[in-house]
Amino acid sequence: MLKKSIIAFLLMGQVFALESIWTDLTKSRNRIARYPHIIKLLIEKEMYHTAVPYVKEYLVTYKGRTNKDFERLFEKVVSKVGDRQFVLLPEQYLSKIDSPTLKYLLAKKLLKRRKYKEALQTLNGTIPAGHPVKAFSLHLEGMAFTMQRGFRAAISAFERCVDMSTSSDDEVRARQLQINHDYCLAGIARVKYEQKKLDDAELSFIDVDKRSYIWPELLIEEAWNSYYKGDYNRTLGKLVTYKAPVLNYIVNPEINVLKALSYFKLCLYDDMSKIIDDHYAEFDKSKQVIDKMIARKHSLEWYFNFINSFVDGKKYYDPLTNKLLRNVSKDPAFIQLFQSYKAGLREISNIKKVRNRRLRKILAINLKDSLMLQQKLIGSYTKRTFKLVSAQLEKSFIGLSYLRLEALNARKAKLYSGITDTGARGDIKYLKRNSKQYFWSFNGEFWADEMGDYVFALRSECQ
């Protein structure tokens, strides 16, 4: 009985804390100035989505010196809700208040619009070393310098980003920092690739842990790096990793294009033709299904319900559709968006406890606005993924058709030359490796510590 009384007392305290928001909202003068206090009360009850409209209104309408606690509160909301809701704000509002977090969001918006110089100017000296967004801002700097081909500065920014992306006691924050850490390692490898320092790039790609969220997407980049080194056997070895059951959700038409190109370079035209035939058999009909869906379905709400139903267990008749939805559901950006949305839904129970009917209605409207926008962000992300893969498939069909013609011409030339095949297929002597790579024999199974390190041993049949 005593235990129940204590719980009831604690719940009553939570309700009273929220009820006091009504006093702040009904202040006759300078109501907006009270918003940081309202945001603080909502954060204390973990009602981050409910706080979002107050944060936005404060950013848009407040004039004067910002509340000294607002930056800390704003950073907390962004860390839980995600930054995409705020990046959508017009630039003049993001630059209005002298806040490191806002400077970071503004730079991110500018970078997305390919205003690299302006993004760097926005970040220059505006974010203190100890600020929570510093590590993320260094990733932006590295990207901006890379796009401007300022490679030395880019590597410097990425290296500092790696050093600053340390762990956190907060689970969500820790995951964000780990992903940021890995993207900065990948940034170093990508810069070296752009510099055509292919040996250095190969070593840098290996530095990204195979357990990383982003590692599967880097395999194709590693494979291209090997391809341009002329190491086609290693390229094929990298790509065969995508056949591992743990990676069967990956959809990237470029994988088959690169496989076919590698076989073409080795003059193994039968192998190349099989890759092309399999590619058309797997994707041709499914692309038509996806294209019809994209043409008919325009609503972001529809795409949100589409992915939400899949996450809840619904499956569709088209195999590529299911694979793409699984691909989306495993993407780090989607995971952050979706987990934030689910956390927002849990705020409903706190609002229901509010006794003041008018305040309860206001808070419910606020939460609905934030969650509706979150649904649109999730829907947009899903729709964009489907459109991107459709465009990639179209490009792959064109590229593979062209490659088939090139192979036909090469076969004719080989036939007229009188050169015959020796029949030899694989030999360890055709393997190449660096100081971070070792030799394992492949027995037909995929082992976690070997994934991404397979190498074919095919002899080139080019004469």
Side-chain angles (χ1 to χ4, degrees), residues 153-340:
I155 288 179
S156 175
F158 284 134
E159 287 176 342
R160 285 183 291 145
C161 167
V162 170
D163 291 339
M164 294 193 69
S165 297
T166 54
S167 189
S168 169
D169 293 333
D170 183 274
E171 184 181 349
V172 174
R173 188 72 172 179
R175 184 175 65 249
Q176 292 170 347
L177 284 167
Q178 184 60 57
I179 292 172
N180 193 62
H181 171 276
D182 295 340
Y183 268 124
C184 287
L185 281 177
I188 294 171
R190 287 163 173 164
V191 168
K192 292 175 180 177
Y193 176 81
E194 285 292 321
Q195 291 177 299
K196 297 186 169 33
K197 295 179 179 179
L198 301 180
D199 290 333
D200 292 341
E202 184 175 65
L203 293 172
S204 293
F205 275 121
I206 293 172
D207 288 337
V208 179
D209 195 295
K210 294 178 184 180
R211 294 167 294 183
S212 169
Y213 281 98
I214 75 166
W215 183 74
E217 74 183 66
L218 296 182
L219 264 175
I220 184 70
E221 297 182 44
E222 289 188 65
W224 276 112
N225 191 80
S226 296
Y227 176 84
Y228 284 114
K229 285 181 65 179
D231 193 352
Y232 309 119
N233 277 309
R234 189 167 296 279
T235 299
L236 291 167
K238 294 284 183 188
L239 297 175
V240 79
T241 302
Y242 284 113
K243 288 186 173 292
V246 72
L247 297 181
N248 64 4
Y249 64 92
I250 298 292
V251 182
N252 187 347
E254 200 175 335
I255 294 169
N256 286 335
V257 172
L258 186 50
K259 281 183 184 177
L261 276 169
S262 298
Y263 282 124
F264 177 79
K265 288 291 186 178
L266 292 168
C267 298
L268 299 172
Y269 303 121
D270 289 339
D271 299 86
M272 185 208 73
S273 293
K274 186 176 188 314
I275 293 296
I276 295 174
D277 291 343
D278 290 348
H279 184 80
Y280 275 90
E282 181 179 3
F283 293 122
D284 192 19
K285 289 183 179 179
S286 288
K287 183 180 184 303
Q288 296 176 39
V289 172
I290 289 171
D291 286 347
K292 285 180 182 178
M293 181 187 74
I294 293 171
R296 294 172 181 174
K297 308 296 182 182
H298 304 288
S299 165
L300 296 182
E301 181 183 0
W302 186 90
Y303 281 95
F304 167 77
N305 291 327
F306 188 39
I307 185 66
N308 192 40
S309 297
F310 179 82
V311 172
D312 286 342
K314 183 176 181 179
K315 298 297 182 287
Y316 299 87
Y317 74 91
D318 177 59
L320 180 58
T321 298
N322 287 313
K323 198 171 182 179
L324 264 174
L325 288 169
R326 190 165 176 231
N327 188 307
V328 172
S329 69
K330 285 182 170 290
D331 187 277
F334 171 84
I335 290 171
Q336 183 177 350
L337 283 169
F338 199 72
Q339 287 183 343
S340 171

